[in-house]
C-alpha cells in the first residue's frame, strides 16, 4: 500500500473505486497521506471509500479485548473527511457515513442507541471522497 509500484501493475484504467477497510487504524497519519498520494498520483478518476476508527478508540483501545489480545495498536483515526483533509490533498469529500447505519440493518437492536450523538461519534466511519477534477 505504501510502495507506488503496485499502481503501475493496474493496467485497466477509467473510474476506479478504492475500498480501504480494516487498515487505517493501524497506520500513522503520514502513512495514510502516502497511501492516498499514490492513488491520487496514479489514477485520474479515483473514488475512495475508507473506513476509519474514531480517535476515541485510538485513545481507549485497551478496552477492546479482541484488539488488545493480538498486540496490535490503533495509531490513527478520524471522524470525518474534514478531520483528515490535510492528509488528502487533491481529494474532495463526497459523503461521511457511519457504520451504524448498516449495523441497524443487520441487527435492528442497534436502532435503540444509533441515534445517540455520543454513540454516533464513537462508531466506525466510512469516508467517501474522490479525486478533484483537473478541469
Amino acid at each position: 500500500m505504501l510502495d507506488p509500484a503496485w499502481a503501475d501493475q493496474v493496467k485497466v484504467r477509467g473510474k476506479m473505486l478504492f475500498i480501504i477497510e480494516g487498515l487505517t487504524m493501524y497506520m500513522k497519519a503520514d502513512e495514510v497521506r502516502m497511501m492516498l498520494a499514490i492513488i491520487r498520483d496514479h489514477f485520474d478518476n479515483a473514488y475512495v471509500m475508507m473506513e476509519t476508527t474514531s480517535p476515541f478508540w485510538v485513545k481507549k483501545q485497551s478496552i477492546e479485548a479482541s484488539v488488545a489480545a493480538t498486540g496490535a495498536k490503533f495509531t490513527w483515526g478520524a471522524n470525518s473527511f474534514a478531520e483528515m483533509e490535510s492528509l488528502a490533498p487533491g481529494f474532495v469529500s463526497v459523503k461521511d457515513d457511519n457504520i451504524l447505519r448498516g449495523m441497524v440493518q443487520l441487527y435492528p437492536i442497534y436502532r435503540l442507541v444509533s441515534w445517540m450523538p455520543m454513540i454516533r461519534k464513537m462508531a466506525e466511519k466510512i469516508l467517501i471522497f474522490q479525486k478533484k477534477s483537473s478541469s
Side-chain angles (χ1 to χ4, degrees), residues 22-106:
L23 178 64
T24 62
M25 63 278 296
Y26 303 104
M27 299 173 74
K28 296 176 182 146
D30 284 347
E31 293 171 326
V32 173
R33 180 183 295 112
M34 288 170 48
M35 176 180 61
L36 295 176
I38 292 168
I39 294 170
R40 180 199 62 226
D41 295 346
H42 289 85
F43 301 95
D44 291 330
N45 202 347
Y47 289 80
V48 179
M49 293 179 69
M50 187 170 85
E51 175 193 23
T52 65
T53 196
S54 169
F56 171 85
W57 290 113
V58 174
K59 294 175 191 163
K60 302 289 187 188
Q61 63 186 299
S62 62
I63 62 176
E64 177 55 53
S66 64
V67 174
T70 68
K73 301 263 186 235
F74 288 167
T75 54
W76 181 80
N79 284 314
S80 67
F81 182 80
E83 286 184 13
M84 60 153 284
E85 192 169 15
S86 67
L87 303 180
F91 288 95
V92 294
S93 178
V94 172
K95 180 180 183 179
D96 291 345
D97 209 345
N98 191 309
I99 204 166
L100 285 173
R101 193 168 57 86
M103 295 301 290
V104 165
Q105 297 301 313
L106 291 171

Side-chain angles (χ1 to χ4, degrees), residues 3-27:
D3 180 354
W6 71 263
D8 296 328
Q9 301 298 311
V10 179
K11 302 301 180 202
V12 177
R13 298 299 169 126
K15 280 189 177 181
M16 305 292 281
L17 173 62
F18 295 87
I19 300 172
I20 303 168
E21 182 180 8
L23 178 64
T24 62
M25 63 278 296
Y26 303 104
M27 299 173 74

